[in-house]
Structure formats: C-alpha cells, structure tokens
Amino acid sequence: MSDKDQTKIIDIIGNVLGLMDIAPEQHQVVIDADVIKVQLFLPEEQSGIFIGHRGETINSLQLLLSLIISQRLGDWHKVKLNIGDYQERREEAILGRADQAVARAIATGQEIVIPGLNAFERHLIHEHLTNHPQVATESRGTPPYRQLYITLKA
C-alpha cells in the first residue's frame, strides 16, 4: 500500500471519528499488510456506548469504516476496531464458551448447539477447534438464525 493511500486511510478514519466527537488523541491507527487496526482510548463511561449490546455497535462501526475506505480507495480493506481491550476479552469469552461446549459434548456424547453467534464469532470457534482430536464444528441454518454445532468425530 502506498504512503498516499495510508495517509488517505488515516484521514478518513480521523474524519469519521471526529464526526462522533472522538478527538485525534483518543485513537491510534496502525496499518498492516492485511488489516487496518484502529484502537480507541475512551473513558469507561463512553466505551459502552461505542461497543453496544454484545458488540453490535463496534461491529457496525468496523464495517462502516471498511466500506468508506474501500469505496474511496477502490479495493477492500479490513478494519479491526478495538475499544480498550474489548475485542480480546470478547474473544476469550467466546473461546471459553466453546471449550465448555466441547467438554459437554464429550461428556454426554451428544451434539451441542451454540446459538446467538455472529459470523465472526462462529469463524473464531471453527478456527479454534479445527485440529481438535475429538470434535468437529459445523454451522447450520440461515442468517440471522444460523447456529454453531459441536459434534463428536466418528
């Protein structure tokens, strides 16, 4: 990615965040080869507003930034937005939930359903359990009712 494109990306992100009253000193942008990482440093009382219920707002902001940047530059750029350490804590909670479901599946011998996950969360669990020796994962259903199933390997 050229320096000109990187400057455009930083300007776009700064402008969008500025419209939401997020000052330049309250965010940091790191541009890697495959992802644009945006870290927000907000007071705790503001963080919840930007994270939203079950991360819906932060996911929407991520998508919005990706769409705006991609439209302006002409090709897709993935944006990963983080507020405090929310994304890390959320991933830990999701993987913990998956590990509990694996333990239940092994103990009972039955398939276990994990409902209420978005596409990213399902993907995270699929990746986490890809090489597990005893269980397999599968997503079934149609959005928005898609669910992740954990089954014992034959």
Side-chain angles (χ1 to χ4, degrees), residues 6-25:
Q6 289 185 17
T7 301
K8 272 187 188 179
I9 289 169
I10 291 169
D11 288 345
I12 291 167
I13 292 170
N15 289 338
V16 172
L17 295 178
L19 291 170
M20 295 186 287
D21 289 330
I22 298 174
E25 60 273 3

Side-chain angles (χ1 to χ4, degrees), residues 82-98:
N82 199 7
I83 299 171
D85 62 348
Y86 172 76
Q87 296 290 18
E88 291 85 1
R89 288 183 292 125
R90 181 75 179 142
E91 286 179 17
E92 282 178 26
I94 290 165
L95 296 180
R97 196 170 157 198

Side-chain angles (χ1 to χ4, degrees), residues 113 117 122 126 138-149:
V113 180
L117 300 172
R122 287 191 308 274
H126 286 305
E138 179 184 358
S139 291
R140 297 183 205 152
T142 57
Y145 306 107
R146 202 152 169 82
Q147 297 179 328
L148 186 125
Y149 289 76

Side-chain angles (χ1 to χ4, degrees), residues 5 7 9 34 39 45 51-52 54 57-58 65 69 75 84 88 96 103 110 123 128 137-138 145 152:
D5 284 349
T7 301
I9 289 169
D34 59 339
Q39 178 71 45
E45 60 274 2
I51 293 170
R54 293 185 55 218
T57 306
I58 193 172
L65 287 170
I69 291 167
D75 57 342
E88 291 85 1
Q110 298 177 346
H123 176 74
H128 178 64
T137 60
E138 179 184 358
Y145 306 107
L152 293 178

Side-chain angles (χ1 to χ4, degrees), residues 104-152:
R104 278 198 333 264
I106 292 169
T108 64
Q110 298 177 346
E111 80 179 6
I112 303 295
V113 180
I114 305 178
L117 300 172
N118 65 35
F120 172 76
E121 294 166 343
R122 287 191 308 274
H123 176 74
L124 188 65
I125 293 174
H126 286 305
E127 289 294 314
H128 178 64
L129 298 176
T130 295
N131 296 319
H132 195 284
Q134 294 177 283
V135 298
T137 60
E138 179 184 358
S139 291
R140 297 183 205 152
T142 57
Y145 306 107
R146 202 152 169 82
Q147 297 179 328
L148 186 125
Y149 289 76
I150 296 177
T151 58
L152 293 178

Side-chain angles (χ1 to χ4, degrees), residues 56-106:
E56 291 173 354
T57 306
I58 193 172
N59 290 339
S60 297
L61 289 171
Q62 242 173 213
L63 178 60
L64 181 66
L65 287 170
S66 290
L67 289 170
I68 292 170
I69 291 167
S70 298
Q71 179 193 35
R72 300 278 166 78
L73 297 182
D75 57 342
W76 182 254
H77 294 280
K78 182 179 178 182
V79 173
K80 185 166 184 180
L81 179 63
N82 199 7
I83 299 171
D85 62 348
Y86 172 76
Q87 296 290 18
E88 291 85 1
R89 288 183 292 125
R90 181 75 179 142
E91 286 179 17
E92 282 178 26
I94 290 165
L95 296 180
R97 196 170 157 198
D99 290 338
Q100 289 173 351
V102 166
R104 278 198 333 264
I106 292 169

